[in-house]
């Protein structure tokens, strides 16, 4: 029963990582340990070999658990580090227990105060491990909820709320530096949905998100899908001066090729972009958005598929 | 007052059992958290095992 319990630590770690649980390997290890235990119990040996077997199994399953946490992409999170540290301490503790069992040999181990102390410390570490496991679960849950609240599920970009939050922070942190805000709106996007279907419309949005990612990757840009077919980007410091060039690159890259949808249709999509420039300040976001919206309106008025800048300084 | 090792062990195992039971209940309350169920069941099994190990001297030989 204890071996099954130990193996569940490993499968729990796999489940947390959304990886398939390896029931067969788990069962095989449990059966092997049980067979060894029966063999030891029926032999002439006493308490010490049993303690060694328990500790060895304990170390094995904790090593497997440690491997899962150490290979996780989230291994830098506080909870994962905490767990890894505790599991390492438990492995070392069990190694110490094995050494005690080998030192004392038959008979004397059960009454040894050192052995009792080792058990006491190991159970305390187990308490800490369980609390850390709960912490890891809730940490993962919190991060998942945060991502759900801050990300657009279709494109994976930040949503309006996340953009506003991050943009305010950037404007405050880089006060006095040049800043540019770009508002991008797809031209006649409703017609794309009506003509090719909503699935194709979604694919166009995903295509644009990838394009933005590729075009903005060299710059420290903040960008998001602010709603429907509208996207917003913020460029700061040196990149702010390049805003018209970057916007033109995005516009021309989108217009240059038809987008191939999964059902084989070709969608030609253009975009209009409005740019507002100014100086970063704590309360500048609202005014920047207003100016960029006005510039976008003018771009639409000038026949769409173009970039228009608002020259008014903040 | 001298603290008996056996008493300490019982206190530890009881606390451990309650803690793992709480983990199991959380795992059942939040079905998407499969890991909590694994660790909860594992903890409860470990508690029972520790209890049986502690009771080994008083369990008749035929039942062991």
């Amino acid at each position: 029963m204890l071996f099954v319990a130990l193996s569940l630590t490993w499968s729990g770690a796999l489940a947390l990582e959304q990886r398939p649980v390896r029931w067969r390997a788990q069962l095989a290890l449990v059966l092997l340990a049980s067979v060894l235990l029966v063999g030891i119990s029926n032999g002439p040996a006493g308490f010490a070999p049993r303690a060694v077997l328990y500790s060895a199994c304990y170390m094995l399953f904790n090593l497997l658990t440690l491997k899962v946490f150490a290979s996780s992409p989230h291994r830098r999170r506080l909870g994962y580090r905490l767990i890894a540290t505790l599991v390492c301490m438990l492995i070392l503790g069990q190694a110490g227990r094995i050494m005690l069992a080998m030192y004392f040999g038959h008979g004397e181990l059960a009454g040894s105060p050192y052995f009792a102390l080792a058990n006491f410390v190991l159970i305390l570490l187990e308490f800490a491990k369980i609390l850390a496991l709960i912490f890891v679960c809730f940490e993962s849950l919190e991060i998942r909820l945060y991502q759900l609240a801050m990300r657009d599920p279709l494109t994976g970009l930040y949503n309006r709320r996340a953009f506003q939050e991050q943009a305010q922070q950037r404007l405050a942190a880089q006060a006095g530096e040049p800043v540019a805000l770009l508002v991008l709106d797809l031209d006649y996007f409703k017609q794309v949905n009506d003509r090719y279907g909503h699935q194709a419309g979604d694919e166009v949005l995903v295509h644009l998100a990838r394009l933005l990612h590729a075009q903005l990757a060299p710059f420290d840009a903040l960008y998001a899908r602010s709603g429907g077919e509208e996207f917003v980007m913020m460029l700061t410091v040196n990149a702010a001066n390049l805003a018209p060039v970057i916007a033109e690159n995005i516009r021309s890259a989108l217009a240059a090729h038809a987008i191939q949808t999964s059902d084989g249709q070709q969608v030609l999509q253009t975009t209009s972009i409005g740019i507002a420039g100014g100086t970063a300040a704590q309360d500048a976001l609202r005014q920047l958005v207003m100016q960029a919206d006005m510039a976008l309106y003018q771009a639409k008025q000038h026949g769409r598929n173009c970039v228009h800048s608002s020259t008014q300084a903040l | 007052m001298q603290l008996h090792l056996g008493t300490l062990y019982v206190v530890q195992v009881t606390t451990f059992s309650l803690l793992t039971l709480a983990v199991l209940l959380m795992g059942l309350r939040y079905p998407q958290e499969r890991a909590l169920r694994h660790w909860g069941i594992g903890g409860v099994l470990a508690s029972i095992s520790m209890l049986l190990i502690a009771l080994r001297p008083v369990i008749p030989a035929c039942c062991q």
Side-chain angles (χ1 to χ4, degrees), chain A residues 64-277:
Chain A
L64 290 168
T65 307
L66 185 64
K67 187 170 171 276
V68 174
F69 284 119
S71 61
S72 164
H74 314 303
R75 61 182 174 274
R76 290 185 186 278
R77 288 183 192 166
L78 176 66
Y80 279 70
R81 288 182 182 189
L82 193 64
I83 285 273
T85 309
L86 285 166
V87 170
C88 284
M89 286 167 80
L90 277 163
I91 291 168
L92 289 175
Q94 291 294 343
R97 201 168 174 259
I98 289 177
M99 284 163 70
L100 275 176
M102 293 170 101
Y103 178 75
F104 280 103
H106 304 259
E108 298 168 38
L109 184 65
S112 160
Y114 297 110
F115 191 70
L117 183 69
N119 282 342
F120 177 73
V121 172
L122 285 171
I123 295 180
L124 280 183
L125 284 174
E126 273 295 333
F127 285 163
K129 191 176 97 178
I130 290 177
L131 291 175
L133 291 173
I134 298 172
F135 178 78
V136 163
C137 272
F138 281 95
E139 188 185 41
S140 302
L141 186 65
E142 188 189 351
I143 290 169
R144 276 210 304 276
L145 288 174
Y146 181 82
Q147 284 174 346
L148 282 173
M150 295 298 185
R151 294 270 175 187
D152 168 48
L154 178 66
T155 59
L157 299 182
Y158 282 129
N159 59 19
R160 179 192 289 265
R161 183 192 300 146
F163 178 81
Q164 284 180 340
E165 202 177 292
Q166 304 240 355
Q168 299 275 21
Q169 285 174 10
R170 282 196 186 204
L171 288 171
Q174 296 176 344
E177 299 283 353
V179 61
L181 194 96
L182 292 77
V183 179
L184 179 158
D185 191 82
L186 292 173
D187 298 329
Y188 302 113
F189 186 67
K190 188 178 178 305
Q191 289 179 15
V192 173
N193 276 331
D194 293 344
R195 187 171 166 192
Y196 301 101
H198 286 273
Q199 175 67 30
D202 285 352
E203 287 178 33
V204 169
L205 292 170
V206 171
H207 175 84
L208 178 60
R210 285 191 193 134
L211 180 73
L212 289 181
H213 193 64
Q215 293 283 338
L216 297 172
F219 312 102
D220 184 26
L222 176 67
Y223 49 104
R225 181 182 175 201
S226 53
E229 67 269 29
E230 192 176 284
F231 294 76
V232 62
M233 295 151 268
M234 179 183 271
L235 298 164
T236 48
V237 198
N238 294 334
N241 300 325
L242 297 171
V245 180
I246 294 169
E248 182 54 33
N249 286 346
I250 293 169
R251 186 206 63 75
S252 57
L254 184 67
H257 306 286
I259 300 161
Q260 178 93 29
T261 64
S262 56
D263 54 357
Q265 298 183 95
Q266 304 267 339
V267 182
L268 265 172
Q269 181 66 59
T270 60
T271 183
S272 304
I273 303 176
I275 306 174

